[in-house]
Amino acid sequence: DAKTTQPPSMDCAEGRAANLPCNHSTISGNEYVYWYRQIHSQGPQYIIHGLKNNETNEMASLIITEDRKSSTLILPHATLRDTAVYYCIVRPRPTGANSKLTFGKGITLSVRP
Amino acid sequence: GAVVSQHPSRVICKSGTSVKIECRSLDFQATTMFWYRQFPKQSLMLMATSNEGSKATYEQGVEKDKFLINHASLTLSTLTVTSAHPEDSSFYICSADPWDRVFNEQFFGPGTRLTVL
């Protein structure tokens, strides 16, 4: 039961912003939007999460629409090392066992020189 | 950020043998750890939730007698693949959930590549 839908792939030029979309039209009021990424043959890495406000950290920005049915992860200046599979996940605020993450297929971002 | 380690990073074994994979949270305590499996070109699939001091909770379709999970301390969970077969060859990844909830994210280990001959 996929709660999010993402395009299978996209690419962008090195140094440019990468905007990764995610649809989560059935998101509940208590569910957060999380983004993780997985570089080839490594464990996933947390990027950012948000509830309804836009968020920014040292890695990325997360823009959530007002109706919360979609969001966009923005990597402001993509580098070759940002080439990875990016997963958009929705889930309730984690409290122990319900912290499990359900990974969809994600979007493969390829950053070209 | 917090660090999770896995050991070994890569293992090759013969069919029928058992393999133990360790997952450690190095600088935080975790009452809950998770084990995932990832086949080539596929996404991560949750296998089980490991709770410190109690039995693991397995996802539907995962054989609990084949994939033994032990979470004996707040920093260590182990996954033992018993009587491994070639179809068990996969990338096994653990994650740990900090008990004090200072963080809102899980921390993942680097993964263990299992190849069963």
Side-chain angles (χ1 to χ4, degrees):
Chain A
D1 54 339
K3 287 188 170 183
T4 65
T5 55
Q6 301 175 255
S9 63
M10 67 174 290
D11 63 13
C12 75
E14 189 176 20
R16 305 297 294 268
N19 298 304
L20 286 68
C22 179
N23 286 322
H24 30 81
S25 59
T26 61
I27 191 170
S28 301
N30 67 338
E31 289 184 317
Y32 289 71
V33 179
Y34 278 74
W35 283 83
Y36 283 78
R37 74 178 182 184
Q38 185 180 25
I39 296 170
H40 183 62
S41 293
Q42 296 183 23
Q45 176 189 23
Y46 166 81
I47 300 173
I48 199 168
H49 76 282
L51 183 61
K52 55 183 178 181
N53 297 322
N54 297 338
E55 302 288 344
T56 295
N57 63 20
E58 64 278 6
M59 289 184 68
S61 294
L62 174 60
I63 308 298
I64 302 174
T65 57
E66 192 168 345
D67 63 7
R68 303 209 323 123
K69 293 185 177 182
S70 66
S71 61
T72 301
L73 179 74
I74 301 173
L75 307 179
H77 307 285
T79 70
L80 298 179
R81 287 176 295 181
D82 292 322
T83 292
V85 179
Y86 288 77
Y87 297 98
C88 170
I89 300 168
V90 297
R91 65 160 179 177
R93 190 172 188 274
T95 54
N98 84 334
S99 304
K100 65 180 181 181
L101 295 168
T102 301
F103 287 83
K105 296 181 179 180
I107 178 172
T108 299
L109 173 67
S110 299
V111 181
R112 60 180 186 275
Chain B
V3 178
V4 174
S5 70
Q6 281 184 241
H7 178 80
S9 59
R10 184 180 296 269
V11 57
I12 301 173
C13 70
K14 293 182 178 180
S15 184
T17 61
S18 295
V19 175
K20 180 185 285 189
I21 302 170
E22 292 186 348
C23 176
R24 293 182 184 273
S25 55
L26 298 185
D27 48 6
F28 66 97
Q29 294 182 323
T31 53
T32 304
M33 291 185 173
F34 302 89
W35 286 96
Y36 297 82
R37 180 168 55 181
Q38 185 174 34
F39 293 108
K41 299 188 183 302
Q42 295 187 24
S43 188
L44 285 79
M45 293 294 294
L46 179 67
M47 298 175 67
T49 301
S50 169
N51 301 296
E52 188 265 337
S54 64
K55 292 183 178 180
T57 303
Y58 291 83
E59 295 297 301
Q60 191 173 10
V62 177
E63 301 174 59
K64 62 180 180 181
D65 294 330
K66 180 170 183 62
F67 299 98
L68 302 179
I69 292 173
N70 183 275
H71 192 155
S73 76
L74 288 173
T75 59
L76 174 64
S77 176
T78 60
L79 168 68
T80 301
V81 183
T82 63
S83 187
H85 291 286
E87 57 265 31
D88 299 323
S89 297
S90 189
F91 191 49
Y92 292 86
I93 307 169
C94 72
S95 69
D97 192 35
W99 75 276
D100 59 1
R101 298 252 53 88
V102 172
F103 304 99
N104 276 305
E105 72 267 29
Q106 286 180 29
F107 297 95
F108 285 81
T112 297
R113 178 81 54 193
L114 170 64
T115 302
V116 184
L117 303 177

